[in-house]
Amino acid sequence: MNKDIGKKVKELRTQKKMTLKDVSERTTLSTGLLSQLERGLTNIATDSLQKIAQVLGVDLTYFFTSPTKKESYVLRSYEKEVFQVVNSRFIHYHLTNGAPDKTLLPRLVELLPINSEEDISQYAHEGEEFIYVLEGILTLFINNEQIEVFPGDSAHYNSSTVHNWANYTNKMVRMLVVSSPNPFKM
């Protein structure tokens, strides 16, 4: 997914005859971040991608493949599809048929284990998030605090508070994540 978004950013930027520096100046994002994004080497927060979309003259949804719209209110467990894999550690599944019509984006997220010495950078973005741990022990970084979240525990916070997640155990963490804004809403 990162490579697809980065590729689309680069294609639009070159079509508009803009340099990385041009986009950087208009979005206040560093040229290094933009270069890494175009090469599929980094993730980007939705609000930062929104800035890029505005500068390049497209809607945010241009960068995403919209899920197939179905008329059913129910998404069966066997219909669930992998939507995104981030850094080979986060696997995202959409839990709705109608993402473009909804304000909230419900997802099942699976976190694979990582080395506990790995540096986790926190970030902030627009909106709010609710997480509910189904399985495993999640390490939640929020407002420069590190908190272990166990199965059955939940957290609800404004996404404008710096945050991130990690799995420092040797087993997978599975959690329900509901967030807004929904980047796929049309």
Side-chain angles (χ1 to χ4, degrees):
M1 177 95 175
N2 295 341
K3 289 187 181 203
D4 294 339
I5 290 173
K7 183 178 177 185
K8 289 178 180 181
V9 168
K10 185 173 185 176
E11 286 173 358
L12 281 172
R13 180 180 61 75
T14 55
Q15 283 174 6
K16 296 188 178 289
K17 297 182 173 45
M18 296 176 75
T19 65
L20 284 171
K21 185 177 179 187
D22 294 334
V23 176
S24 173
E25 289 171 354
R26 294 180 187 172
T27 61
T28 68
L29 301 171
S30 73
T31 55
L33 173 70
L34 293 169
S35 175
Q36 287 183 342
L37 175 65
E38 287 186 357
R39 292 180 288 145
L41 301 176
T42 191
N43 295 324
I44 189 163
T46 307
D47 56 341
S48 296
L49 189 58
Q50 177 65 44
K51 290 178 185 178
I52 295 170
Q54 287 175 330
V55 166
L56 297 176
V58 296
D59 189 70
L60 179 64
T61 57
Y62 173 85
F63 298 109
F64 300 98
T65 305
S66 297
T68 308
K69 185 172 182 173
K70 298 179 184 175
E71 295 300 318
S72 176
Y73 293 104
V74 176
L75 178 68
R76 301 290 178 194
S77 60
Y78 55 83
E79 295 175 320
K80 183 176 61 205
E81 297 176 354
V82 172
F83 168 71
Q84 178 182 33
V85 178
V86 179
N87 295 335
S88 301
R89 292 194 313 232
F90 300 91
I91 304 166
H92 294 253
Y93 302 85
H94 278 187
L95 297 178
T96 183
N97 284 325
D101 301 330
K102 305 293 186 262
T103 302
L104 300 174
L105 180 62
R107 295 169 289 156
L108 172 67
V109 178
E110 296 177 342
L111 279 71
L112 302 175
I114 63 168
N115 182 339
S116 63
E117 295 169 11
E118 191 169 332
D119 186 34
I120 301 295
S121 57
Q122 298 180 51
Y123 61 96
H125 54 87
E126 175 187 356
E128 66 181 285
E129 295 179 18
F130 170 83
I131 61 174
Y132 180 84
V133 177
L134 300 165
E135 180 181 317
I137 302 169
L138 172 73
T139 300
L140 173 64
F141 294 90
I142 187 156
N143 210 17
N144 300 309
E145 186 178 349
Q146 183 175 329
I147 306 165
E148 287 188 339
V149 186
F150 298 92
D153 292 349
S154 60
H156 190 185
Y157 48 89
N158 288 327
S159 303
S160 59
T161 304
V162 291
H163 63 282
N164 207 339
W165 315 315
N167 176 0
Y168 289 143
T169 70
N170 59 0
K171 297 184 177 168
M172 184 179 316
V173 171
R174 296 179 77 230
M175 61 185 185
L176 173 67
V177 178
V178 182
S179 58
S180 72
N182 176 358
F184 304 100
K185 185 170 176 143
M186 295 180 160

